[in-house]
Amino acid sequence: MKFEMTKYEGGWIEVIVGCMFSGKSEELIRRIKRAIIANQKAIVFKPQIDNRYETDKVVSHNGISIKAVVVNNANEIKGIAENYDVIGIDEAQFFDNSLINIVEDLADNGKRVIIAGLDQDFRGEPFGIIPHLMAIADSVDKLHAICVVCGAVATKSQRLINDKPASYNDPTILVGSKEVYQPRCRKCYNKPIKVLN
Ligand code: ZN
């Protein structure tokens, strides 16, 4: 990484973004584990919506994991986080606006806050509160994956439903369909076209 936070006087917000399979969770876990080695009190939160793999852990795609507290909303983070020095938040794109003030308050109170999330949704559009978090952060790292089609640097998350690129109007959750995500470069990414009804 081009930047590594080791001391956090006065608080600090770090944001780790990227497409699917860019190693965001892995990087979050790495930073948290280094803080724990330095005897800092660290905790990781994740939203309830993500039940990929195990629910009480953040697990990266390469199998590295760390214990996580699953919360239903951002307000649940507030009370618990006050007792820690370093606060990790994974899959932050699934939290609502209330996370923004909570994160700023924690940093203003001297906490180091490390946030990981998808910067773009499958439509290639800014994902929820992530753009706002990137703007107020003290440090932002945008990670890349490798395009599964051509091997170039990938920044897009291609959503495939039954092996075909998803269309813009497809709902976020589809029952009874085979759905996968692939990291793709700008050239190989099929940008979903908006269908006007
Ligand atoms: Zn490509």
Side-chain angles (χ1 to χ4, degrees):
M1 298 305 294
K2 63 185 186 296
F3 175 83
E4 182 71 34
M5 183 67 190
T6 51
K7 206 155 181 271
Y8 52 94
E9 284 174 26
W12 189 261
I13 301 169
E14 289 161 54
V15 173
I16 304 162
V17 294
C19 60
M20 300 280 281
F21 304 100
S22 62
K24 299 179 298 297
S25 296
E26 189 184 343
E27 177 59 20
L28 173 69
I29 293 166
R30 191 186 73 86
R31 293 186 193 185
I32 293 289
K33 286 192 171 172
R34 284 166 59 99
I36 292 168
I37 289 166
N39 292 318
Q40 294 172 348
K41 282 189 76 184
I43 189 166
V44 177
F45 295 96
K46 59 185 277 191
Q48 181 65 61
I49 197 161
D50 176 39
N51 50 14
R52 172 183 66 182
Y53 309 133
E54 297 165 70
T55 51
D56 61 343
K57 283 179 181 171
V58 168
V59 184
S60 72
H61 291 292
N62 65 0
I64 297 168
S65 70
I66 196 163
K67 201 168 162 289
V69 176
V70 180
V71 291
N72 292 305
N73 56 65
N75 278 316
E76 288 180 32
I77 293 175
K78 208 173 167 182
I80 307 168
E82 281 167 5
N83 303 310
Y84 292 84
D85 307 311
V86 182
I87 295 115
I89 302 168
D90 198 29
E91 304 284 2
Q93 73 276 1
F94 293 127
F95 285 101
D96 66 17
N97 283 342
S98 58
L99 184 69
I100 294 163
N101 284 338
I102 289 165
V103 158
E104 283 224 283
D105 284 349
L106 289 169
D108 289 344
N109 288 317
K111 313 290 187 188
R112 177 185 176 194
V113 186
I114 311 169
I115 301 162
L118 287 164
D119 52 350
Q120 299 166 52
D121 62 18
F122 76 92
R123 302 177 184 95
E125 295 179 345
F127 207 141
I129 59 167
I130 298 293
H132 196 123
L133 292 170
M134 288 170 76
I136 63 165
D138 300 284
S139 152
V140 177
D141 286 292
K142 185 153 181 164
L143 306 185
H144 303 120
I146 294 171
C147 176
V148 296
V149 180
C150 76
V153 173
T155 58
K156 305 285 181 188
S157 301
Q158 179 73 57
R159 184 186 190 198
L160 298 171
I161 296 166
N162 298 328
D163 300 322
K164 290 192 181 71
S167 73
Y168 190 95
N169 302 54
D170 279 338
T172 307
I173 297 161
L174 278 176
V175 180
S177 299
K178 185 170 136 278
E179 182 187 44
V180 293
Y181 286 89
Q182 291 180 343
R184 293 201 185 181
C185 73
R186 195 173 276 277
K187 182 168 69 74
C188 300
Y189 172 67
N190 295 99
K191 190 172 174 62
I193 308 297
K194 206 170 205 167
V195 182
L196 296 173
N197 295 312

